Amino acid sequence: MPDRRHSAALFKAVVGRGGTSAPNIVDELRRVILDGAVPPGTPIPVGEVADLFGVSHIPVRESLKTLTGEGLVQHRPNAGYAVAQLTATELAEMYLVRETLESAAMAAAVHKATAADRAHLIETHESMAQALKFDDAQAYHRYSRQFHMALSRPCCMLRLVRMLENAWNITEPVQLMVHVGRDQRTLLHEDHRVMLDAFLARDPDALAAASAAHNKRLNGVVASLPADTGLVIDGA
């Protein structure tokens, strides 16, 4: 588990000073968590966040309740709020949810994608390649999400895409691609290339097969996360 004092100071350092309305506070706290600036289990000091925004504790607590409902924040009795921390089993389950939702979205998206959608996918894949070339794990992680969403959004099923984004958000604090070695990222990137080729060829069967192989490899990475990193907690 991260040191509470250090983590609280870290959270205070990365929170910006945007608008003081409750929606702005929610957006800023969500941004910090999804950017991976603070790891799972990081305490969220209500008083310090309130001071940063120049507001009372009330809108901060309301914002944290909203993020708790999204699965990004946890409230622990006698310990306050913290960035949500999943058990290893819960994390694996969320990756299964992601895989299921993404498979359904891609099956439709491969046929409905426009030329602009395909161009965006190619551009995102090139950004991933550059991040891999310069061994920028955080950038690779960020572009990987963009790539997967670019494979899914053309399905034109807004509720499905929203559910996929929400599921992805819950796993995002772990920043999985940051915690795998370059060799493993290279293999995952090759999977992405195969998925890209299948999508551009408008071949749903090849895309499904490539996606299944990618998710099998990804699930292996999830299962191999070291237990002593604090990224996940012990529990069934």
Side-chain angles (χ1 to χ4, degrees), residues 37-52:
V38 287
T42 300
I44 305 175
V46 173
E48 294 177 24
V49 173
D51 289 343
L52 281 168

Side-chain angles (χ1 to χ4, degrees), residues 124-173:
T124 304
H125 187 265
E126 178 57 30
S127 295
M128 294 167 66
Q130 290 300 308
L132 183 67
K133 176 181 178 180
F134 293 104
D135 200 21
D136 187 339
Q138 289 184 323
Y140 192 86
H141 180 88
R142 182 171 64 253
Y143 288 126
S144 176
R145 174 171 181 160
Q146 293 177 19
F147 178 80
H148 281 269
M149 293 310 304
L151 288 169
S152 301
R153 283 199 181 97
C155 73
C156 301
M157 292 184 281
L158 298 182
R159 291 181 178 84
L160 176 58
V161 171
R162 189 175 300 117
M163 286 190 290
L164 177 57
E165 289 178 329
N166 289 341
W168 202 295
N169 284 353
I170 292 172
T171 65
E172 198 70 350

